[in-house]
């Protein structure tokens, strides 16, 4: 199994480090030809507008869309969740390119600015105990999910922060920064 990490912008190095610890050899994906050899792709946190524009500029949107959830498992963290979402709220004038492959609606920067970033313990039943350390940095929130989308985790007040649709996984927080590889291991099993 070849695991790709989209390496256009954002915290792709942190994901690659966790994959190395798990014994995987991550492939940094920057061009469509690099995508061809991977069965799993992580779209990291970063700036979703920038990542979307670079996906468009490097002609990666269509190749990813064509394989998404079929022969390519995709996990979006934070900005990656925004890029996976079918609908994005609070998009700046002019919009942003997205993959629009997962039946979720996401609100950008749902908790406020960088100063409003926070950490909390997240119970994720399918990962077992203990709760995962959720790190939310200018994080989006999953507002709604469509049919066929399973909610995996919520904040205490009910906000959806992790969801799965077949071989598509979305987390609005940063597991790669939490010194806990359980979400990465879960993704590799998709």
């Amino acid at each position: 199994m070849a695991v790709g990490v989209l390496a256009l912008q954002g915290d792709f190095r942190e994901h690659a480090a966790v994959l190395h610890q798990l014994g995987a050899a991550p492939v940094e994906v920057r061009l469509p030809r690099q995508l061809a050899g991977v069965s799993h792709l992580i779209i990291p946190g970063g700036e979703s507008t920038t990542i979307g524009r670079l996906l468009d500029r490097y002609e990666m949107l269509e190749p990813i869309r064509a394989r998404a959830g079929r022969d390519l498992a995709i996990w979006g963290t934070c900005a990656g969740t925004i890029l996976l979402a079918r609908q994005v709220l609070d998009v700046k004038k002019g919009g942003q390119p997205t993959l629009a492959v997962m039946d979720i609606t996401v609100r950008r920067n749902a908790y406020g600015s960088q100063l409003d970033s926070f950490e909390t313990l997240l119970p994720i039943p399918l990962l077992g105990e203990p709760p995962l350390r959720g790190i939310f940095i200018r994080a989006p929130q999953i507002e709604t999910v469509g049919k066929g989308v399973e909610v995996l985790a919520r904040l205490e007040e009910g906000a959806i922060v992790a969801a799965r649709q077949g071989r598509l996984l979305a987390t609005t927080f940063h597991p790669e920064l939490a010194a806990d590889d359980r979400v990465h291991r879960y993704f590799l099993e998709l």
Side-chain angles (χ1 to χ4, degrees), residues 102-134:
M102 191 169 178
D103 195 8
I104 58 176
T105 299
V106 172
R107 181 172 304 281
R108 292 167 40 102
N109 303 322
Y111 306 100
S113 72
Q114 187 82 16
L115 294 175
D116 300 305
S117 299
F118 63 97
E119 293 184 24
T120 190
L121 292 178
L122 282 175
I124 304 178
L126 66 88
L127 298 180
E129 292 292 333
L132 187 78
R133 188 171 139 230

Side-chain angles (χ1 to χ4, degrees), residues 78 81-82 89-90 105-120 122 134-143 153-162 171-174:
C78 197
T81 292
I82 294 168
L89 306 175
D90 297 333
T105 299
V106 172
R107 181 172 304 281
R108 292 167 40 102
N109 303 322
Y111 306 100
S113 72
Q114 187 82 16
L115 294 175
D116 300 305
S117 299
F118 63 97
E119 293 184 24
T120 190
L122 282 175
I135 301 170
F136 295 81
I137 303 170
R138 251 181 68 209
Q141 178 177 301
I142 300 170
E143 297 272 319
R154 293 178 182 268
L155 292 178
E156 192 172 295
E157 65 272 10
I160 303 169
V161 296
T171 57
T172 64
F173 54 96
H174 291 271

Side-chain angles (χ1 to χ4, degrees), residues 6-84:
L6 189 66
L8 299 176
Q9 192 267 341
D11 64 346
F12 59 89
R13 287 179 190 89
E14 290 82 353
H15 280 289
V18 176
L19 293 170
H20 277 295
Q21 290 172 1
L22 292 173
V27 175
E28 291 186 2
V29 175
R30 293 185 176 89
L31 298 169
R33 71 174 183 271
Q34 295 162 324
L35 179 67
V38 301
S39 61
H40 291 66
L41 179 67
I42 297 173
I43 303 175
E47 171 45 53
S48 64
T49 303
T50 299
I51 296 170
R53 288 180 179 155
L54 290 170
L55 283 169
D56 186 42
R57 177 173 291 161
Y58 295 119
E59 299 179 354
M60 300 231 351
L61 288 169
E62 287 310 315
I64 294 172
R65 283 183 188 130
R67 295 184 57 203
R70 294 172 188 84
D71 67 335
L72 181 66
I74 304 176
W75 172 20
T77 63
C78 197
T81 292
I82 294 168
L83 291 163
L84 289 177

